[in-house]
Amino acid sequence: MLHNMPVKTLVHKDLTIEGYSRAAVQTYWRIPELKIGFDLGAQPWEFMSTATWFVSHTHLDHVACLPVYVARRRMMKMEPPTIYLPEGAVEHVERILKLFTRLDRGRLPCHLVPTKPGDEIELSREHVVTVSATTHTIPSLGFVVWARRRKLKPEYQQLSNDEIRDIRLSGQEVTHELRIPRLAYLGDSAPQGLDDCPAMYEADVLITELTFVAPGHRKERIHKFGHIHLDDLLERRARFKNELIVAGHFSTRYHNKQIRQYVEKAVPDMFDGRLHLWL
Ligand SMILES: [Zn+2]
Ligand SMILES: [Zn+2]
């Protein structure tokens, strides 16, 4: 492995969470089993093999490495990647890529997909991504990855296999789609970004920003700048049904040790062990 960027890894059931996130430094996450990543603030060399990325917003610590990533895939003769971006950003990113092509004399082939709250993106037969708005200083998106299964409609559940077969042969649909929220990603956002998307609280795994953790910070200011404070999570404790809550994007004003101390003091049980600090 080429050591170039910090990457921390955590396995939860059938999902592996990889990445790194510090406010104003860089943010990048990847879930290899889902074949997707979130944010391109930097790009560890091995992340290049993932061909589908979701960019939450265009602050530089979340998007700066987009041209580098696209160029590496071309250089390594991989398929052009697909990158979902807030819709208003696509035109500007296209211009940036054209300018880099002139400077670097290398093509930057990729599919940039304008994305907005309410969109549904089909990843595969098994997975679909829904898009929500987050509350930040610039347009910003949250994402939920759902597993989907076909399930027998409730009205047919008492019938025998033969009866179900006959109904199916008559051309009636006997199943409906069941969606299970597996993983949610909240990039930069005030807590409203969670409240406006209930699936964030339900997903098996939630990756969320938690920029501020020290007591005594003025919350109105934090919310105005589109970020979350530890107190916001505590106020919503009963709503978090997630099996795992990964908190990252801590402000650079804290050392790792301070972050642990502040959080462990305010939340001694770490949400019954479900809250994981990405340090
Ligand atoms: Zn950020
Ligand atoms: Zn931001």
Side-chain angles (χ1 to χ4, degrees):
M1 189 194 283
L2 194 72
H3 289 288
N4 57 137
M5 306 272 168
V7 175
K8 188 177 137 77
T9 300
L10 180 70
V11 177
H12 178 77
K13 292 186 171 170
D14 56 338
L15 298 177
T16 309
I17 299 117
E18 301 176 328
Y20 179 82
S21 176
R22 280 306 278 260
V25 183
Q26 51 201 22
T27 290
Y28 42 89
W29 300 94
R30 181 170 83 150
I31 318 297
E33 294 85 358
L34 299 173
K35 299 188 172 72
I36 58 171
F38 299 103
D39 284 338
L40 292 162
Q43 173 81 187
W45 182 255
E46 68 270 22
F47 277 26
M48 173 189 6
S49 59
T50 297
T52 305
W53 286 79
F54 294 85
V55 172
S56 63
H57 66 298
T58 50
H59 276 151
L60 273 171
D61 52 325
H62 296 255
V63 77
C65 228
L66 190 153
V68 173
Y69 161 63
V70 175
R72 285 179 183 173
R73 283 190 61 97
R74 189 214 64 228
M75 183 177 77
M76 302 303 279
K77 304 202 178 344
M78 294 171 163
E79 288 292 302
T82 300
I83 304 168
Y84 295 89
L85 286 159
E87 57 180 350
V90 169
E91 180 195 335
H92 303 300
V93 172
E94 279 169 352
R95 279 168 62 199
I96 288 168
L97 291 179
K98 280 200 186 104
L99 291 171
F100 266 120
T101 292
R102 279 170 68 179
L103 292 169
D104 182 82
R105 304 272 167 88
R107 287 182 315 111
L108 292 168
C110 59
H111 308 292
L112 301 178
V113 185
T115 306
K116 59 183 185 311
D119 282 357
E120 252 188 52
I121 298 152
E122 189 157 316
L123 285 182
S124 64
R125 279 221 328 238
E126 290 86 36
H127 292 104
V128 63
V129 173
T130 56
V131 183
S132 60
T134 84
T135 312
H136 198 41
T137 52
I138 58 173
S140 179
L141 304 173
F143 305 99
V144 178
V145 185
W146 306 74
R148 44 185 190 173
R149 316 233 156 90
R150 300 304 305 182
K151 201 162 185 293
L152 204 59
K153 286 181 180 170
E155 61 265 39
Y156 299 137
Q157 270 164 16
Q158 305 308 322
L159 302 184
S160 70
N161 284 345
D162 286 349
E163 287 170 313
I164 290 166
R165 189 203 54 210
D166 289 345
I167 296 167
R168 185 180 281 137
L169 287 174
S170 78
Q172 290 242 48
E173 186 54 71
V174 292
T175 61
H176 66 114
E177 188 179 279
L178 188 75
R179 288 189 175 186
I180 302 143
R182 294 301 321 278
L183 182 130
Y185 176 58
L186 184 78
D188 292 7
S189 182
Q192 200 187 331
L194 288 172
D195 300 341
D196 289 349
C197 180
M200 294 263 174
Y201 291 109
E202 308 287 335
D204 295 343
V205 179
L206 167 66
I207 302 173
T208 180
E209 78 124 288
L210 179 57
T211 308
F212 297 97
V213 294
H217 274 317
R218 283 199 294 145
K219 271 208 291 177
E220 319 77 67
R221 253 178 91 76
I222 290 170
H223 294 170
K224 196 176 137 221
F225 287 111
H227 288 298
I228 288 177
H229 186 278
L230 181 58
D231 292 343
D232 298 315
L233 297 194
L234 284 167
E235 280 169 20
R236 290 164 177 77
R237 177 176 178 132
R239 300 186 62 178
F240 289 99
K241 305 291 181 229
N242 319 85
E243 295 167 1
L244 172 68
I245 302 162
V246 171
H249 197 270
F250 302 107
S251 164
T252 52
R253 70 182 69 190
Y254 316 122
H255 300 297
N256 288 5
K257 210 173 137 201
Q258 288 177 300
I259 296 167
R260 274 201 197 93
Q261 282 170 350
Y262 286 135
V263 176
E264 280 163 12
K265 188 150 193 286
V267 201
D269 75 335
M270 296 298 277
F271 283 17
D272 302 317
R274 294 175 298 140
L275 178 59
H276 183 99
L277 306 179
W278 204 258
L279 292 170

